[in-house]
PDB file of all heavy atoms in Angstrom:
ATOM      1  N   GLU A 157      78.510 136.264 148.174  1.00  0.00           N
ATOM      2  CA  GLU A 157      77.353 136.392 149.076  1.00  0.00           C
ATOM      3  C   GLU A 157      77.721 135.914 150.481  1.00  0.00           C
ATOM      4  O   GLU A 157      77.347 136.539 151.475  1.00  0.00           O
ATOM      5  CB  GLU A 157      76.174 135.586 148.537  1.00  0.00           C
ATOM      6  CG  GLU A 157      75.521 136.191 147.316  1.00  0.00           C
ATOM      7  CD  GLU A 157      74.427 135.292 146.720  1.00  0.00           C
ATOM      8  OE1 GLU A 157      74.081 134.269 147.356  1.00  0.00           O
ATOM      9  OE2 GLU A 157      73.942 135.621 145.635  1.00  0.00           O
ATOM     10  N   THR A 158      78.470 134.804 150.546  1.00  0.00           N
ATOM     11  CA  THR A 158      78.883 134.264 151.849  1.00  0.00           C
ATOM     12  C   THR A 158      79.781 135.270 152.573  1.00  0.00           C
ATOM     13  O   THR A 158      79.615 135.509 153.777  1.00  0.00           O
ATOM     14  CB  THR A 158      79.627 132.931 151.652  1.00  0.00           C
ATOM     15  OG1 THR A 158      78.786 132.022 150.951  1.00  0.00           O
ATOM     16  CG2 THR A 158      80.043 132.321 152.971  1.00  0.00           C
ATOM     17  N   GLU A 159      80.722 135.858 151.841  1.00  0.00           N
ATOM     18  CA  GLU A 159      81.603 136.856 152.445  1.00  0.00           C
ATOM     19  C   GLU A 159      80.808 138.064 152.921  1.00  0.00           C
ATOM     20  O   GLU A 159      81.049 138.584 154.019  1.00  0.00           O
ATOM     21  CB  GLU A 159      82.694 137.278 151.455  1.00  0.00           C
ATOM     22  CG  GLU A 159      83.741 136.215 151.215  1.00  0.00           C
ATOM     23  CD  GLU A 159      84.751 136.597 150.132  1.00  0.00           C
ATOM     24  OE1 GLU A 159      84.750 137.775 149.688  1.00  0.00           O
ATOM     25  OE2 GLU A 159      85.528 135.718 149.739  1.00  0.00           O
ATOM     26  N   ASP A 160      79.852 138.507 152.098  1.00  0.00           N
ATOM     27  CA  ASP A 160      79.003 139.644 152.500  1.00  0.00           C
ATOM     28  C   ASP A 160      78.216 139.303 153.762  1.00  0.00           C
ATOM     29  O   ASP A 160      78.107 140.131 154.678  1.00  0.00           O
ATOM     30  CB  ASP A 160      78.040 140.033 151.369  1.00  0.00           C
ATOM     31  CG  ASP A 160      78.757 140.654 150.169  1.00  0.00           C
ATOM     32  OD1 ASP A 160      79.946 141.045 150.314  1.00  0.00           O
ATOM     33  OD2 ASP A 160      78.127 140.742 149.088  1.00  0.00           O
ATOM     34  N   LEU A 161      77.661 138.060 153.784  1.00  0.00           N
ATOM     35  CA  LEU A 161      76.894 137.643 154.974  1.00  0.00           C
ATOM     36  C   LEU A 161      77.796 137.563 156.205  1.00  0.00           C
ATOM     37  O   LEU A 161      77.382 137.953 157.308  1.00  0.00           O
ATOM     38  CB  LEU A 161      76.211 136.293 154.729  1.00  0.00           C
ATOM     39  CG  LEU A 161      75.000 136.325 153.793  1.00  0.00           C
ATOM     40  CD1 LEU A 161      74.525 134.899 153.511  1.00  0.00           C
ATOM     41  CD2 LEU A 161      73.873 137.154 154.396  1.00  0.00           C
ATOM     42  N   LYS A 162      79.043 137.090 156.022  1.00  0.00           N
ATOM     43  CA  LYS A 162      79.982 137.022 157.152  1.00  0.00           C
ATOM     44  C   LYS A 162      80.268 138.427 157.682  1.00  0.00           C
ATOM     45  O   LYS A 162      80.306 138.658 158.893  1.00  0.00           O
ATOM     46  CB  LYS A 162      81.292 136.346 156.730  1.00  0.00           C
ATOM     47  CG  LYS A 162      81.236 134.856 156.659  1.00  0.00           C
ATOM     48  CD  LYS A 162      82.605 134.294 156.271  1.00  0.00           C
ATOM     49  CE  LYS A 162      82.567 132.798 156.129  1.00  0.00           C
ATOM     50  NZ  LYS A 162      83.883 132.267 155.724  1.00  0.00           N
ATOM     51  N   LYS A 163      80.491 139.357 156.753  1.00  0.00           N
ATOM     52  CA  LYS A 163      80.756 140.735 157.161  1.00  0.00           C
ATOM     53  C   LYS A 163      79.548 141.307 157.911  1.00  0.00           C
ATOM     54  O   LYS A 163      79.697 141.939 158.960  1.00  0.00           O
ATOM     55  CB  LYS A 163      81.076 141.612 155.944  1.00  0.00           C
ATOM     56  CG  LYS A 163      82.442 141.369 155.353  1.00  0.00           C
ATOM     57  CD  LYS A 163      82.649 142.232 154.129  1.00  0.00           C
ATOM     58  CE  LYS A 163      83.966 141.924 153.437  1.00  0.00           C
ATOM     59  NZ  LYS A 163      84.131 142.681 152.191  1.00  0.00           N
ATOM     60  N   GLU A 164      78.366 141.092 157.360  1.00  0.00           N
ATOM     61  CA  GLU A 164      77.148 141.595 158.000  1.00  0.00           C
ATOM     62  C   GLU A 164      76.967 140.957 159.371  1.00  0.00           C
ATOM     63  O   GLU A 164      76.621 141.631 160.354  1.00  0.00           O
ATOM     64  CB  GLU A 164      75.931 141.306 157.107  1.00  0.00           C
ATOM     65  CG  GLU A 164      74.646 141.922 157.614  1.00  0.00           C
ATOM     66  CD  GLU A 164      73.475 141.645 156.690  1.00  0.00           C
ATOM     67  OE1 GLU A 164      73.679 141.380 155.484  1.00  0.00           O
ATOM     68  OE2 GLU A 164      72.336 141.682 157.195  1.00  0.00           O
ATOM     69  N   LEU A 165      77.205 139.637 159.431  1.00  0.00           N
ATOM     70  CA  LEU A 165      77.074 138.930 160.704  1.00  0.00           C
ATOM     71  C   LEU A 165      78.088 139.449 161.717  1.00  0.00           C
ATOM     72  O   LEU A 165      77.752 139.657 162.891  1.00  0.00           O
ATOM     73  CB  LEU A 165      77.268 137.423 160.471  1.00  0.00           C
ATOM     74  CG  LEU A 165      77.057 136.511 161.662  1.00  0.00           C
ATOM     75  CD1 LEU A 165      75.634 136.636 162.191  1.00  0.00           C
ATOM     76  CD2 LEU A 165      77.334 135.067 161.273  1.00  0.00           C
ATOM     77  N   ALA A 166      79.328 139.675 161.267  1.00  0.00           N
ATOM     78  CA  ALA A 166      80.357 140.212 162.174  1.00  0.00           C
ATOM     79  C   ALA A 166      79.956 141.597 162.662  1.00  0.00           C
ATOM     80  O   ALA A 166      80.112 141.928 163.841  1.00  0.00           O
ATOM     81  CB  ALA A 166      81.704 140.243 161.469  1.00  0.00           C
ATOM     82  N   GLN A 167      79.416 142.408 161.745  1.00  0.00           N
ATOM     83  CA  GLN A 167      78.981 143.748 162.119  1.00  0.00           C
ATOM     84  C   GLN A 167      77.843 143.676 163.131  1.00  0.00           C
ATOM     85  O   GLN A 167      77.839 144.377 164.131  1.00  0.00           O
ATOM     86  CB  GLN A 167      78.546 144.528 160.869  1.00  0.00           C
ATOM     87  CG  GLN A 167      78.177 145.961 161.143  1.00  0.00           C
ATOM     88  CD  GLN A 167      77.752 146.696 159.880  1.00  0.00           C
ATOM     89  OE1 GLN A 167      77.777 146.131 158.793  1.00  0.00           O
ATOM     90  NE2 GLN A 167      77.366 147.941 160.028  1.00  0.00           N
ATOM     91  N   ARG A 168      76.875 142.807 162.889  1.00  0.00           N
ATOM     92  CA  ARG A 168      75.747 142.653 163.817  1.00  0.00           C
ATOM     93  C   ARG A 168      76.224 142.114 165.162  1.00  0.00           C
ATOM     94  O   ARG A 168      75.727 142.525 166.218  1.00  0.00           O
ATOM     95  CB  ARG A 168      74.682 141.736 163.223  1.00  0.00           C
ATOM     96  CG  ARG A 168      73.871 142.424 162.151  1.00  0.00           C
ATOM     97  CD  ARG A 168      72.719 141.588 161.723  1.00  0.00           C
ATOM     98  NE  ARG A 168      71.944 142.246 160.665  1.00  0.00           N
ATOM     99  CZ  ARG A 168      70.917 141.711 160.086  1.00  0.00           C
ATOM    100  NH1 ARG A 168      70.501 140.505 160.448  1.00  0.00           N
ATOM    101  NH2 ARG A 168      70.263 142.367 159.159  1.00  0.00           N
ATOM    102  N   ALA A 169      77.187 141.149 165.112  1.00  0.00           N
ATOM    103  CA  ALA A 169      77.712 140.601 166.364  1.00  0.00           C
ATOM    104  C   ALA A 169      78.400 141.714 167.155  1.00  0.00           C
ATOM    105  O   ALA A 169      78.263 141.792 168.388  1.00  0.00           O
ATOM    106  CB  ALA A 169      78.686 139.469 166.078  1.00  0.00           C
ATOM    107  N   GLU A 170      79.122 142.574 166.436  1.00  0.00           N
ATOM    108  CA  GLU A 170      79.787 143.693 167.106  1.00  0.00           C
ATOM    109  C   GLU A 170      78.764 144.648 167.705  1.00  0.00           C
ATOM    110  O   GLU A 170      78.892 145.088 168.855  1.00  0.00           O
ATOM    111  CB  GLU A 170      80.677 144.431 166.087  1.00  0.00           C
ATOM    112  CG  GLU A 170      81.555 145.490 166.696  1.00  0.00           C
ATOM    113  CD  GLU A 170      82.435 146.144 165.641  1.00  0.00           C
ATOM    114  OE1 GLU A 170      82.994 145.421 164.785  1.00  0.00           O
ATOM    115  OE2 GLU A 170      82.554 147.381 165.685  1.00  0.00           O
ATOM    116  N   GLU A 171      77.717 144.931 166.906  1.00  0.00           N
ATOM    117  CA  GLU A 171      76.650 145.815 167.402  1.00  0.00           C
ATOM    118  C   GLU A 171      75.955 145.192 168.615  1.00  0.00           C
ATOM    119  O   GLU A 171      75.658 145.884 169.595  1.00  0.00           O
ATOM    120  CB  GLU A 171      75.619 146.100 166.302  1.00  0.00           C
ATOM    121  CG  GLU A 171      76.136 146.999 165.207  1.00  0.00           C
ATOM    122  CD  GLU A 171      75.163 147.100 164.037  1.00  0.00           C
ATOM    123  OE1 GLU A 171      74.062 146.475 164.079  1.00  0.00           O
ATOM    124  OE2 GLU A 171      75.485 147.798 163.060  1.00  0.00           O
ATOM    125  N   THR A 172      75.715 143.875 168.531  1.00  0.00           N
ATOM    126  CA  THR A 172      75.071 143.178 169.642  1.00  0.00           C
ATOM    127  C   THR A 172      75.965 143.210 170.873  1.00  0.00           C
ATOM    128  O   THR A 172      75.484 143.428 172.004  1.00  0.00           O
ATOM    129  CB  THR A 172      74.755 141.717 169.249  1.00  0.00           C
ATOM    130  OG1 THR A 172      73.963 141.715 168.077  1.00  0.00           O
ATOM    131  CG2 THR A 172      74.029 140.983 170.353  1.00  0.00           C
ATOM    132  N   ALA A 173      77.273 143.020 170.694  1.00  0.00           N
ATOM    133  CA  ALA A 173      78.208 143.057 171.817  1.00  0.00           C
ATOM    134  C   ALA A 173      78.218 144.450 172.445  1.00  0.00           C
ATOM    135  O   ALA A 173      78.228 144.590 173.676  1.00  0.00           O
ATOM    136  CB  ALA A 173      79.604 142.656 171.359  1.00  0.00           C
ATOM    137  N   GLU A 174      78.198 145.496 171.607  1.00  0.00           N
ATOM    138  CA  GLU A 174      78.162 146.862 172.126  1.00  0.00           C
ATOM    139  C   GLU A 174      76.873 147.114 172.910  1.00  0.00           C
ATOM    140  O   GLU A 174      76.885 147.697 174.002  1.00  0.00           O
ATOM    141  CB  GLU A 174      78.270 147.883 170.977  1.00  0.00           C
ATOM    142  CG  GLU A 174      79.651 147.978 170.374  1.00  0.00           C
ATOM    143  CD  GLU A 174      79.687 148.924 169.169  1.00  0.00           C
ATOM    144  OE1 GLU A 174      78.691 149.664 168.925  1.00  0.00           O
ATOM    145  OE2 GLU A 174      80.704 148.911 168.459  1.00  0.00           O
ATOM    146  N   ARG A 175      75.771 146.647 172.326  1.00  0.00           N
ATOM    147  CA  ARG A 175      74.476 146.828 172.978  1.00  0.00           C
ATOM    148  C   ARG A 175      74.445 146.084 174.307  1.00  0.00           C
ATOM    149  O   ARG A 175      73.932 146.596 175.315  1.00  0.00           O
ATOM    150  CB  ARG A 175      73.370 146.342 172.053  1.00  0.00           C
ATOM    151  CG  ARG A 175      72.031 146.781 172.511  1.00  0.00           C
ATOM    152  CD  ARG A 175      71.040 146.645 171.388  1.00  0.00           C
ATOM    153  NE  ARG A 175      69.725 146.919 171.936  1.00  0.00           N
ATOM    154  CZ  ARG A 175      68.637 146.333 171.607  1.00  0.00           C
ATOM    155  NH1 ARG A 175      68.652 145.410 170.672  1.00  0.00           N
ATOM    156  NH2 ARG A 175      67.496 146.647 172.155  1.00  0.00           N
ATOM    157  N   LYS A 176      75.014 144.846 174.288  1.00  0.00           N
ATOM    158  CA  LYS A 176      75.050 144.054 175.520  1.00  0.00           C
ATOM    159  C   LYS A 176      75.863 144.786 176.589  1.00  0.00           C
ATOM    160  O   LYS A 176      75.479 144.850 177.752  1.00  0.00           O
ATOM    161  CB  LYS A 176      75.664 142.672 175.230  1.00  0.00           C
ATOM    162  CG  LYS A 176      75.763 141.791 176.432  1.00  0.00           C
ATOM    163  CD  LYS A 176      76.394 140.455 176.064  1.00  0.00           C
ATOM    164  CE  LYS A 176      76.607 139.628 177.301  1.00  0.00           C
ATOM    165  NZ  LYS A 176      77.343 138.408 177.041  1.00  0.00           N
ATOM    166  N   ALA A 177      77.007 145.358 176.155  1.00  0.00           N
ATOM    167  CA  ALA A 177      77.843 146.096 177.102  1.00  0.00           C
ATOM    168  C   ALA A 177      77.084 147.295 177.657  1.00  0.00           C
ATOM    169  O   ALA A 177      77.140 147.587 178.867  1.00  0.00           O
ATOM    170  CB  ALA A 177      79.141 146.530 176.425  1.00  0.00           C
ATOM    171  N   ASP A 178      76.356 147.997 176.778  1.00  0.00           N
ATOM    172  CA  ASP A 178      75.567 149.143 177.220  1.00  0.00           C
ATOM    173  C   ASP A 178      74.494 148.699 178.216  1.00  0.00           C
ATOM    174  O   ASP A 178      74.283 149.343 179.257  1.00  0.00           O
ATOM    175  CB  ASP A 178      74.903 149.852 176.034  1.00  0.00           C
ATOM    176  CG  ASP A 178      75.896 150.604 175.152  1.00  0.00           C
ATOM    177  OD1 ASP A 178      77.034 150.841 175.627  1.00  0.00           O
ATOM    178  OD2 ASP A 178      75.538 150.940 173.999  1.00  0.00           O
ATOM    179  N   ILE A 179      73.818 147.589 177.877  1.00  0.00           N
ATOM    180  CA  ILE A 179      72.757 147.089 178.766  1.00  0.00           C
ATOM    181  C   ILE A 179      73.352 146.653 180.093  1.00  0.00           C
ATOM    182  O   ILE A 179      72.792 146.937 181.164  1.00  0.00           O
ATOM    183  CB  ILE A 179      71.976 145.940 178.096  1.00  0.00           C
ATOM    184  CG1 ILE A 179      71.168 146.489 176.933  1.00  0.00           C
ATOM    185  CG2 ILE A 179      71.086 145.234 179.098  1.00  0.00           C
ATOM    186  CD1 ILE A 179      70.492 145.444 176.083  1.00  0.00           C
ATOM    187  N   GLU A 180      74.527 146.003 180.059  1.00  0.00           N
ATOM    188  CA  GLU A 180      75.158 145.569 181.311  1.00  0.00           C
ATOM    189  C   GLU A 180      75.567 146.770 182.161  1.00  0.00           C
ATOM    190  O   GLU A 180      75.452 146.751 183.392  1.00  0.00           O
ATOM    191  CB  GLU A 180      76.362 144.667 181.014  1.00  0.00           C
ATOM    192  CG  GLU A 180      75.957 143.293 180.569  1.00  0.00           C
ATOM    193  CD  GLU A 180      77.145 142.392 180.200  1.00  0.00           C
ATOM    194  OE1 GLU A 180      78.310 142.865 180.184  1.00  0.00           O
ATOM    195  OE2 GLU A 180      76.901 141.208 179.900  1.00  0.00           O
ATOM    196  N   ASN A 181      76.032 147.833 181.503  1.00  0.00           N
ATOM    197  CA  ASN A 181      76.394 149.052 182.228  1.00  0.00           C
ATOM    198  C   ASN A 181      75.146 149.660 182.882  1.00  0.00           C
ATOM    199  O   ASN A 181      75.184 150.110 184.029  1.00  0.00           O
ATOM    200  CB  ASN A 181      77.052 150.084 181.308  1.00  0.00           C
ATOM    201  CG  ASN A 181      78.505 149.745 181.037  1.00  0.00           C
ATOM    202  OD1 ASN A 181      79.138 149.049 181.833  1.00  0.00           O
ATOM    203  ND2 ASN A 181      79.028 150.248 179.941  1.00  0.00           N
ATOM    204  N   GLU A 182      74.056 149.669 182.105  1.00  0.00           N
ATOM    205  CA  GLU A 182      72.804 150.198 182.676  1.00  0.00           C
ATOM    206  C   GLU A 182      72.352 149.338 183.840  1.00  0.00           C
ATOM    207  O   GLU A 182      71.857 149.839 184.857  1.00  0.00           O
ATOM    208  CB  GLU A 182      71.706 150.251 181.601  1.00  0.00           C
ATOM    209  CG  GLU A 182      71.846 151.393 180.639  1.00  0.00           C
ATOM    210  CD  GLU A 182      70.717 151.404 179.604  1.00  0.00           C
ATOM    211  OE1 GLU A 182      69.602 150.930 179.898  1.00  0.00           O
ATOM    212  OE2 GLU A 182      70.964 151.896 178.488  1.00  0.00           O
ATOM    213  N   LEU A 183      72.497 148.009 183.672  1.00  0.00           N
ATOM    214  CA  LEU A 183      72.075 147.109 184.756  1.00  0.00           C
ATOM    215  C   LEU A 183      72.927 147.321 186.007  1.00  0.00           C
ATOM    216  O   LEU A 183      72.442 147.197 187.126  1.00  0.00           O
ATOM    217  CB  LEU A 183      72.163 145.658 184.310  1.00  0.00           C
ATOM    218  CG  LEU A 183      70.993 145.134 183.482  1.00  0.00           C
ATOM    219  CD1 LEU A 183      71.266 143.708 183.026  1.00  0.00           C
ATOM    220  CD2 LEU A 183      69.708 145.178 184.274  1.00  0.00           C
ATOM    221  N   LYS A 184      74.187 147.632 185.842  1.00  0.00           N
ATOM    222  CA  LYS A 184      75.059 147.886 187.001  1.00  0.00           C
ATOM    223  C   LYS A 184      74.517 149.078 187.793  1.00  0.00           C
ATOM    224  O   LYS A 184      74.526 149.055 189.025  1.00  0.00           O
ATOM    225  CB  LYS A 184      76.490 148.203 186.555  1.00  0.00           C
ATOM    226  CG  LYS A 184      77.289 147.011 186.174  1.00  0.00           C
ATOM    227  CD  LYS A 184      78.705 147.463 185.830  1.00  0.00           C
ATOM    228  CE  LYS A 184      79.487 146.349 185.195  1.00  0.00           C
ATOM    229  NZ  LYS A 184      80.789 146.789 184.728  1.00  0.00           N
ATOM    230  N   ASP A 185      74.107 150.080 187.028  1.00  0.00           N
ATOM    231  CA  ASP A 185      73.575 151.255 187.689  1.00  0.00           C
ATOM    232  C   ASP A 185      72.208 150.960 188.307  1.00  0.00           C
ATOM    233  O   ASP A 185      71.875 151.471 189.383  1.00  0.00           O
ATOM    234  CB  ASP A 185      73.438 152.442 186.707  1.00  0.00           C
ATOM    235  CG  ASP A 185      74.790 152.933 186.199  1.00  0.00           C
ATOM    236  OD1 ASP A 185      75.802 152.657 186.868  1.00  0.00           O
ATOM    237  OD2 ASP A 185      74.832 153.566 185.112  1.00  0.00           O
ATOM    238  N   ILE A 186      71.398 150.156 187.667  1.00  0.00           N
ATOM    239  CA  ILE A 186      70.041 149.874 188.132  1.00  0.00           C
ATOM    240  C   ILE A 186      70.038 148.760 189.178  1.00  0.00           C
ATOM    241  O   ILE A 186      69.145 148.726 190.034  1.00  0.00           O
ATOM    242  CB  ILE A 186      69.150 149.488 186.941  1.00  0.00           C
ATOM    243  CG1 ILE A 186      69.052 150.645 185.956  1.00  0.00           C
ATOM    244  CG2 ILE A 186      67.784 149.076 187.382  1.00  0.00           C
ATOM    245  CD1 ILE A 186      68.286 150.343 184.703  1.00  0.00           C
ATOM    246  N   GLN A 187      71.000 147.907 189.151  1.00  0.00           N
ATOM    247  CA  GLN A 187      71.008 146.731 190.041  1.00  0.00           C
ATOM    248  C   GLN A 187      70.878 147.122 191.526  1.00  0.00           C
ATOM    249  O   GLN A 187      70.048 146.530 192.227  1.00  0.00           O
ATOM    250  CB  GLN A 187      72.283 145.906 189.804  1.00  0.00           C
ATOM    251  CG  GLN A 187      72.253 144.546 190.442  1.00  0.00           C
ATOM    252  CD  GLN A 187      71.233 143.622 189.783  1.00  0.00           C
ATOM    253  OE1 GLN A 187      70.938 143.730 188.619  1.00  0.00           O
ATOM    254  NE2 GLN A 187      70.642 142.762 190.558  1.00  0.00           N
ATOM    255  N   PRO A 188      71.627 148.050 192.007  1.00  0.00           N
ATOM    256  CA  PRO A 188      71.456 148.388 193.418  1.00  0.00           C
ATOM    257  C   PRO A 188      70.043 148.936 193.710  1.00  0.00           C
ATOM    258  O   PRO A 188      69.447 148.628 194.736  1.00  0.00           O
ATOM    259  CB  PRO A 188      72.500 149.475 193.674  1.00  0.00           C
ATOM    260  CG  PRO A 188      73.470 149.399 192.561  1.00  0.00           C
ATOM    261  CD  PRO A 188      72.778 148.735 191.429  1.00  0.00           C
ATOM    262  N   VAL A 189      69.512 149.725 192.752  1.00  0.00           N
ATOM    263  CA  VAL A 189      68.162 150.270 192.957  1.00  0.00           C
ATOM    264  C   VAL A 189      67.173 149.129 192.936  1.00  0.00           C
ATOM    265  O   VAL A 189      66.217 149.099 193.751  1.00  0.00           O
ATOM    266  CB  VAL A 189      67.844 151.323 191.867  1.00  0.00           C
ATOM    267  CG1 VAL A 189      66.410 151.801 191.958  1.00  0.00           C
ATOM    268  CG2 VAL A 189      68.812 152.476 191.942  1.00  0.00           C
ATOM    269  N   LEU A 190      67.375 148.194 192.032  1.00  0.00           N
ATOM    270  CA  LEU A 190      66.478 147.040 191.919  1.00  0.00           C
ATOM    271  C   LEU A 190      66.536 146.205 193.192  1.00  0.00           C
ATOM    272  O   LEU A 190      65.493 145.754 193.688  1.00  0.00           O
ATOM    273  CB  LEU A 190      66.864 146.213 190.692  1.00  0.00           C
ATOM    274  CG  LEU A 190      65.946 145.077 190.283  1.00  0.00           C
ATOM    275  CD1 LEU A 190      64.538 145.577 189.957  1.00  0.00           C
ATOM    276  CD2 LEU A 190      66.496 144.321 189.106  1.00  0.00           C
ATOM    277  N   GLU A 191      67.698 146.031 193.756  1.00  0.00           N
ATOM    278  CA  GLU A 191      67.842 145.262 195.000  1.00  0.00           C
ATOM    279  C   GLU A 191      67.106 145.984 196.152  1.00  0.00           C
ATOM    280  O   GLU A 191      66.452 145.359 196.982  1.00  0.00           O
ATOM    281  CB  GLU A 191      69.319 145.088 195.353  1.00  0.00           C
ATOM    282  CG  GLU A 191      70.054 144.134 194.440  1.00  0.00           C
ATOM    283  CD  GLU A 191      69.541 142.712 194.478  1.00  0.00           C
ATOM    284  OE1 GLU A 191      69.112 142.224 195.536  1.00  0.00           O
ATOM    285  OE2 GLU A 191      69.519 142.082 193.393  1.00  0.00           O
TER     286      GLU A 191
END
Side-chain angles (χ1 to χ4, degrees):
E157 288 175 8
T158 303
E159 288 175 10
D160 291 345
L161 287 173
K162 281 182 183 179
K163 286 178 185 176
E164 186 179 337
L165 185 60
Q167 184 180 358
R168 284 188 181 178
E170 188 178 317
E171 289 172 1
T172 304
E174 287 176 11
R175 193 163 173 217
K176 179 181 175 187
D178 289 343
I179 291 173
E180 286 177 354
N181 282 336
E182 283 181 29
L183 279 176
K184 282 183 191 174
D185 294 339
I186 298 176
Q187 192 68 30
V189 174
L190 188 60
E191 289 297 325

